[in-house]
Amino acid sequence: MPSPKFWPGGFLSHSNCYKVQLENSFSLWSFTVCSSGHPPNGSLWCQAGMGCLGTQRAPRAFLLLPLLLYVARRSNLTQLQSGSKKKKVTKAERLKLLQEEEERRLKEEEEARLKYEKEEMERLEIQRIEKEKWNRLEAKDLERRNEELEELYLLERCFPEAEKLKQETRMLSQWKHYIQCDGSPDPSIAQEMNTFISLWKEKTNETFEEVIEKSKVVLNLIEKLKFILLETPPCDLQDKNIIQYQESILQLQELLHLKFNVATEILLRIVNMESPCVTQAGLKLLDSNSLSSLTSQSTGITCQASTLADLDSGNMEKVIKDENVTLYVWANLKKNPRHRSVRFSETQIGFEIPRILATSDIAVRLLHTHYDHVSALHPVSTPSKEHTSSVTELVKDDVENVEKAISKEVEEESKQQEKQSHLIQEEKLKVEEEQDDIEVKMSSAEEESEAIKCELEMKVLSETVSAAQLLLVENSSEKPDFFENDMVDLFQFTTLGGVYHLDILELPPQCKPVKGWMIVEILKEGLQKYTYPPETTEDFETENAFPPIEVTLEVHENVIFFENPMVVRWDAEGKHWRTDGISNVSYKPNERLITFSLDTFGPVTLIQDAHINMPYQSWELRPLDVNKVLLTVTTVFTEIQIQIKENLCMLSSVKLKDKKHISVLEGTWMTPIPFIIALKEAGLNIFPTRYSHFYVVINNKARMNLSKFNVVPLVEVKAYRQMALLSSTFAFGWSKWNLLCNSTKVVFKVREHLPEECTENPNWALLMFSGDRAQRLKIKEESEAFSEALKEETEFHSTLYHMVRDFASKEAMEKVRSSNCQFVNSVCHMLLSTRLLSYS
């Protein structure tokens, strides 16, 4: 510890304070050394404060303070001298410091400027090199564009060739139908259809067995008419033909339902042989043989109930099942108010009827048609008349010009023949040889004319196919008409499982035996419906005399519901489905039973969101064999696999939540359009319509045609056509970058598929296609950001075919060129129908 001599001279220990600022690595300490008299033991005591931490506690370094003060005294530090003044900086020194600071700042700015200029020059040089490279690639692409497009045109001749085969198949089927002479009409000929309908209307007293057998023919005719409207290219459909086919469909549907009503009336006439008969006008006499024959016919078709009358209740019960129709009939013969629960034998289907119906002379019918003949027919999409007329007129002009040119050549040849025959009459042998040469030329000219005509026909067919394909991806610019809150929009929802016709019928007059004869009254009005609730309720005491009727139905076993189905009823006046009047809906998916309360009887059906599987999560198109591919579409609820070969499609498998679902469609090969309809009717709808973009959040590729001023999305159509051409050898897949690229471009994965390769880690290439240019992207599916940068050592091409040819094997390209035209057309139709690039 230093002695008091350490204290500076001229300072009194009683009044002097010393301040020292000690800066260490932790904080800034402020020490105040004070003395009041002589410190004890001759030592210094100090007061310290921690400036930065805000505390008065001194650290251990505080014990070294006297030593530090001693060193500072010895160093003649001016900070420890009381009353000393700081050394002033002169003006010259200050100017010098400012000058040095300014020079240093200018030097730093100059270095930064030089560095920026260097980097900018390097960047511009890179841009210049890239631009030159890009311009060279564009020039090279432009130079070979015509050649590539011509080659693509030759490859795409498979589409008109496939359509020509379809036309020949349709003509052949008409010829087969003509030579069969089985009595069924040709649905495309209006006279035959009118004759068939008129003859069937004249038939009376047909039983359910007869009507069901006839219904198979009728349903087949309706199906054929619908396929004609869907399969015939829109350019070949005339408005009068569309109206004729739709009218025939409606007439057949109405007549079929009328026949079922008449058959139900016949069935209800003989439910009780001993019931009294009301003897009024319109009686009909039947002998015992006729009656027994009528009874056996009406009960002989797959009847699940052994007797008409139930042993417990004494009421009539009958169930008739067929592949297209199921009939449940219950007649209230005993009118026992205690029997209000109706359950058909061996089923859980039935009703809970109120007391007023349990005591009424009624019958309850449930007619489940596995088809929907109640909903209105969807309009047939046709291309604009301007487009169709312009194409046909253009091709017709070409045909006429070619024919005129050929006729002129033939005339010139004939004139030359005449001149030569007059000039060289002496040399008969020579003339004959020249005539032979002229005949050969004329025949070759005729062959050439036939070839040109055939080429022009293929051109017309190609334009027709292109127009039909464009129509499949066309988006409506206007949403369907406004629907009320309780109305069902059939563009958003779809009916599944057929229609349940629920009717309360007045029990018709029964047969009465009289001396070996049966007398039965025939009502002119036919089968009458019982109005529930009645129009006037003044004669009834309580307001709850007409409660809703509880109904339990069985959902069709071949239909898939991904969510609980909705129950809707048919409004006969407004001609649409409604959701009101139905309450207390409960669904048991394991038992496939749905229960609900219905205010009044009528046709009901089950609906599901038509776009429940859209947008798709992913998709893949993979070759399986020669002219055979597998299309996999993965949605939120399911994974659907479809096989395509030649002109046929088949449902390969359906997975629901990692569980395989067995469908009746699996293993059945069908042509594309019937296959698409069958999938829709089974609840597996992955086929958007021209209105679907109003109900689904989709990729902007499908929104290109929402405005009147936007063109048809040719990019999507061209991509599907060229993908179909390559599908026999190359696999295509979904890419997440398709959502982020420009609306006029599509991005997808592609790779060459070889049978011996391992598919666990496939080497995919990313391609971007704009309809007129294809390029391979530098990024990968796992990249962090999207970029349109071109992959190194690759070029532009005008088509996908030439793009993949750059990295494909010769064997793969040979398979592509030898693909079956019907196979390519089927793959293209399925891609156009699913619209994978827009709805995924």
Side-chain angles (χ1 to χ4, degrees):
M1 182 67 64
S3 64
K5 294 180 181 180
F6 163 78
W7 295 69
F11 284 84
L12 296 177
S13 60
H14 299 278
S15 59
N16 293 326
C17 292
Y18 303 87
K19 294 185 178 180
V20 178
Q21 289 185 344
L22 178 63
E23 184 177 1
N24 55 25
S25 60
F26 299 95
S27 60
L28 184 64
W29 293 84
S30 176
F31 297 91
T32 304
V33 184
C34 301
S35 175
S36 178
H38 294 284
N41 300 325
S43 62
L44 293 175
W45 58 277
C46 303
Q47 183 180 8
M50 187 182 299
C52 65
L53 297 178
T55 178
Q56 295 296 326
R57 196 180 79 175
R60 295 180 180 179
F62 174 77
L63 299 177
L64 300 178
L65 179 61
L67 181 60
L68 294 173
L69 294 176
Y70 177 77
V71 174
R73 177 72 177 88
R74 285 295 184 184
S75 306
N76 296 324
L77 293 176
T78 59
Q79 289 86 346
L80 299 178
Q81 295 179 359
S82 175
S84 63
K85 297 182 180 180
K86 294 182 180 179
K87 184 177 180 181
K88 293 184 179 179
V89 180
T90 62
K91 186 176 181 181
E93 291 176 344
R94 187 163 55 251
L95 292 175
K96 184 177 180 181
L97 291 173
L98 292 175
Q99 185 177 1
E100 292 177 354
E101 182 69 22
E102 182 68 15
E103 290 177 356
R104 184 171 63 253
R105 185 182 64 80
L106 293 176
K107 184 178 179 181
E108 291 176 353
E109 291 181 355
E110 182 65 17
E111 291 176 355
R113 185 184 64 81
L114 293 176
K115 183 180 179 181
Y116 172 77
E117 289 180 354
K118 183 179 179 181
E119 292 177 351
E120 186 68 13
M121 289 178 64
E122 292 177 354
R123 186 182 65 82
L124 293 175
E125 182 65 17
I126 293 174
Q127 283 186 354
R128 186 187 64 80
I129 295 174
E130 291 293 331
K131 189 175 181 180
E132 289 181 356
K133 181 181 178 181
W134 190 275
N135 291 335
R136 287 196 301 269
L137 293 175
E138 284 186 336
K140 191 175 182 180
D141 177 38
L142 187 63
E143 182 180 354
R144 62 190 176 196
R145 177 181 295 273
N146 293 333
E147 181 181 352
E148 291 182 351
L149 292 179
E150 289 178 0
E151 188 174 358
L152 178 65
Y153 174 76
L154 294 177
L155 291 172
E156 289 186 340
R157 285 178 63 93
C158 61
F159 296 112
E161 289 175 0
E163 183 59 32
K164 191 173 182 179
L165 291 176
K166 284 183 181 181
Q167 292 180 354
E168 293 176 357
T169 303
R170 288 195 291 267
M171 295 177 64
L172 183 61
S173 63
Q174 289 180 349
W175 173 249
K176 287 182 178 180
H177 178 271
Y178 177 76
I179 62 177
Q180 277 180 353
C181 297
D182 56 356
S184 61
D186 186 347
S188 61
I189 301 176
Q191 293 82 358
E192 295 187 14
M193 289 299 298
N194 294 333
T195 303
F196 174 81
I197 293 173
S198 300
L199 291 176
W200 196 27
K201 281 182 179 180
E202 295 175 357
K203 287 188 177 181
T204 57
N205 295 330
E206 290 179 291
T207 61
F208 244 96
E209 182 180 17
E210 295 172 343
V211 174
I212 286 178
E213 288 300 321
K214 194 75 170 182
S215 69
K216 296 177 181 179
V217 178
V218 174
L219 293 175
N220 187 30
L221 292 174
I222 293 175
E223 188 177 82
K224 286 183 178 179
L225 287 170
K226 289 182 177 180
F227 288 163
I228 290 174
L229 292 172
L230 293 173
E231 291 181 340
T232 306
C235 296
D236 295 342
L237 277 176
Q238 298 181 4
D239 293 339
K240 63 177 183 179
N241 292 335
I242 296 175
I243 295 173
Q244 171 197 329
Y245 300 152
Q246 290 182 339
E247 287 181 353
S248 299
I249 292 173
L250 293 175
Q251 290 177 5
L252 290 173
Q253 291 176 351
E254 294 174 359
L255 183 57
L256 180 60
H257 190 68
L258 176 62
K259 288 292 183 178
F260 279 129
N261 288 340
V262 174
T264 303
E265 182 184 3
I266 295 175
L267 181 63
L268 291 175
R269 286 181 197 159
I270 57 176
V271 295
N272 188 5
M273 297 300 182
E274 299 179 357
S275 61
C277 178
V278 181
T279 56
Q280 293 180 357
L283 298 181
K284 184 174 182 179
L285 298 179
L286 298 174
D287 58 12
S288 58
N289 295 331
S290 300
L291 181 63
S292 62
S293 176
L294 181 62
T295 305
S296 63
Q297 287 180 0
S298 61
T299 58
I301 179 170
T302 329
C303 183
Q304 292 185 345
S306 59
T307 59
L308 292 178
D310 183 64
L311 296 177
D312 297 332
S313 63
N315 295 321
M316 174 263 190
E317 177 186 311
K318 189 172 182 61
V319 178
I320 300 176
K321 282 192 174 182
D322 184 68
E323 58 181 346
N324 297 317
V325 178
T326 304
L327 174 69
Y328 302 89
V329 177
W330 176 83
N332 189 15
L333 303 179
K334 296 300 182 181
K335 304 177 184 61
N336 190 341
R338 292 180 300 176
H339 291 95
R340 295 194 289 177
S341 180
V342 180
R343 287 292 180 272
F344 293 95
S345 60
E346 300 181 5
T347 67
Q348 298 188 39
I349 299 174
F351 316 93
E352 294 291 336
I353 60 176
R355 181 182 179 87
I356 186 174
L357 293 181
T359 57
S360 300
D361 200 16
I362 63 163
V364 179
R365 181 186 69 170
L366 167 57
L367 178 62
H368 180 200
T369 58
H370 302 170
Y371 47 82
D372 181 9
H373 286 176
V374 178
S375 303
L377 296 176
H378 286 290
V380 178
S381 300
T382 55
S384 61
K385 295 182 179 179
E386 297 179 358
H387 176 75
T388 306
S389 61
S390 62
V391 172
T392 54
E393 288 178 1
L394 178 63
V395 177
K396 285 180 179 178
D397 292 340
D398 293 341
V399 173
E400 291 177 357
N401 294 333
V402 171
E403 290 179 349
K404 290 179 180 178
I406 293 173
S407 61
K408 287 182 179 179
E409 291 179 0
V410 174
E411 290 178 358
E412 290 177 358
E413 292 289 341
S414 61
K415 289 180 180 179
Q416 186 177 1
Q417 178 188 1
E418 292 177 357
K419 290 180 180 179
Q420 291 178 355
S421 62
H422 289 299
L423 295 175
I424 317 173
Q425 293 179 355
E426 300 86 14
E427 302 177 0
K428 294 182 180 180
L429 182 62
K430 197 171 184 179
V431 170
E432 290 178 357
E433 293 178 355
E434 290 180 357
Q435 286 180 349
D436 293 336
D437 293 338
I438 293 173
E439 288 178 357
V440 170
K441 289 182 180 180
M442 292 178 65
S443 62
S444 63
E446 291 178 357
E447 292 177 358
E448 184 180 356
S449 65
E450 291 295 329
I452 294 175
K453 286 183 179 179
C454 181
E455 180 67 25
L456 291 175
E457 287 178 1
M458 294 297 291
K459 185 177 180 181
V460 173
L461 205 55
S462 177
E463 293 291 339
T464 302
V465 172
S466 299
Q469 291 175 344
L470 288 174
L471 201 61
L472 289 175
V473 297
E474 183 183 32
N475 294 311
S476 176
S477 58
E478 297 180 359
K479 197 173 182 179
D481 296 337
F482 173 78
F483 293 92
E484 299 177 2
N485 293 332
D486 296 328
M487 291 174 58
V488 177
D489 182 3
L490 289 182
F491 293 103
Q492 182 179 4
F493 297 94
T494 181
T495 62
L496 292 177
V499 178
Y500 301 85
H501 297 266
L502 301 173
D503 298 302
I504 304 175
L505 306 173
E506 295 182 0
L507 200 60
Q510 302 298 297
C511 298
K512 180 180 179 181
V514 178
K515 296 180 181 181
W517 292 84
M518 300 300 298
I519 302 177
V520 61
E521 179 185 5
I522 306 298
L523 300 177
K524 294 181 179 181
E525 297 83 3
L527 196 63
Q528 297 297 311
K529 291 185 178 181
Y530 182 90
T531 305
Y532 180 87
E535 298 178 357
T536 59
T537 59
E538 297 177 356
D539 299 336
F540 300 93
E541 298 178 357
T542 60
E543 296 180 357
N544 296 328
F546 307 99
I549 302 173
E550 184 179 298
V551 182
T552 301
L553 300 177
E554 183 178 356
V555 179
H556 199 287
E557 59 183 357
N558 297 332
V559 175
I560 300 176
F561 282 95
F562 299 100
E563 294 178 346
N564 290 345
M566 298 172 57
V567 185
V568 295
R569 65 176 183 87
W570 178 252
D571 183 6
E573 295 181 359
K575 301 297 181 182
H576 51 254
W577 295 101
R578 300 183 65 91
T579 58
D580 57 344
I582 299 171
S583 58
N584 303 326
V585 181
S586 64
Y587 178 58
K588 298 178 181 179
N590 296 331
E591 302 175 9
R592 300 186 69 84
L593 292 175
I594 188 166
T595 303
F596 55 92
S597 297
L598 192 62
D599 291 345
T600 181
F601 269 22
V604 298
T605 189
L606 307 179
I607 63 172
Q608 180 176 252
D609 187 358
H611 309 93
I612 194 169
N613 288 315
M614 305 175 199
Y616 322 125
Q617 290 187 329
S618 63
W619 60 270
E620 182 179 343
L621 182 67
R622 178 167 56 89
L624 292 178
D625 201 351
V626 179
N627 295 324
K628 188 176 182 180
V629 297
L630 178 67
L631 174 63
T632 303
V633 180
T634 304
T635 70
V636 176
F637 297 98
T638 182
E639 178 185 281
I640 302 174
Q641 291 187 339
I642 301 171
Q643 290 188 24
I644 307 172
K645 69 173 183 179
E646 296 181 356
N647 64 329
L648 300 173
C649 302
M650 181 194 71
L651 180 63
S652 179
S653 68
V654 179
K655 294 181 181 179
L656 301 177
K657 296 181 180 179
D658 299 330
K659 295 181 181 179
K660 184 175 175 58
H661 174 79
I662 300 177
S663 174
V664 293
L665 297 177
E666 294 184 22
T668 303
W669 291 95
M670 293 180 281
T671 54
I673 290 179
F675 175 75
I676 292 173
I677 294 175
L679 281 186
K680 286 183 177 180
E681 292 177 349
L684 301 172
N685 186 12
I686 53 172
F687 308 101
T689 65
R690 60 197 305 260
Y691 298 102
S692 295
H693 58 278
F694 291 113
Y695 309 102
V696 184
V697 179
I698 58 175
N699 194 351
N700 52 8
K701 278 65 174 182
R703 296 186 178 273
M704 293 172 60
N705 196 30
L706 297 185
S707 173
K708 296 180 180 178
F709 304 100
N710 288 339
V711 296
V712 177
L714 288 171
V715 175
E716 196 175 356
V717 177
K718 289 182 178 180
Y720 293 146
R721 287 168 65 99
Q722 298 183 37
M723 287 167 63
L725 286 172
L726 300 165
S727 61
S728 59
T729 310
F730 293 88
F732 297 88
W734 170 83
S735 173
K736 64 181 181 181
W737 303 120
N738 189 43
L739 291 169
L740 302 178
C741 67
N742 190 282
S743 61
T744 59
K745 302 173 184 176
V746 292
V747 176
F748 46 84
K749 298 184 296 185
V750 63
R751 65 183 176 89
E752 182 179 345
H753 182 79
L754 299 175
E756 64 274 6
E757 70 178 348
C758 179
T759 58
E760 294 181 359
N761 297 312
N763 185 18
W764 292 99
L766 278 178
L767 295 187
M768 185 172 70
F769 183 60
S770 63
D772 297 325
R773 173 179 293 175
Q775 67 184 72
R776 187 171 179 180
L777 297 179
K778 184 179 181 180
I779 61 173
K780 296 182 179 180
E781 192 69 17
E782 300 79 17
S783 302
E784 296 181 357
F786 176 73
S787 172
E788 295 186 4
L790 195 67
K791 184 176 177 61
E792 296 84 356
E793 300 180 358
T794 61
E795 299 178 352
F796 296 136
H797 285 282
S798 300
T799 70
L800 292 175
Y801 172 82
H802 296 88
M803 184 71 251
V804 300
R805 193 174 65 177
D806 287 351
F807 56 87
S809 62
K810 293 183 178 179
E811 295 81 4
M813 302 313 295
E814 289 178 0
K815 289 183 179 180
V816 169
R817 288 188 289 268
S818 60
S819 297
N820 181 272
C821 64
Q822 290 182 314
F823 161 76
V824 174
N825 187 68
S826 298
V827 174
C828 182
H829 186 86
M830 194 58 60
L831 294 176
L832 289 166
S833 300
T834 53
R835 299 191 64 184
L836 300 174
L837 295 175
S838 292
Y839 284 83
S840 60

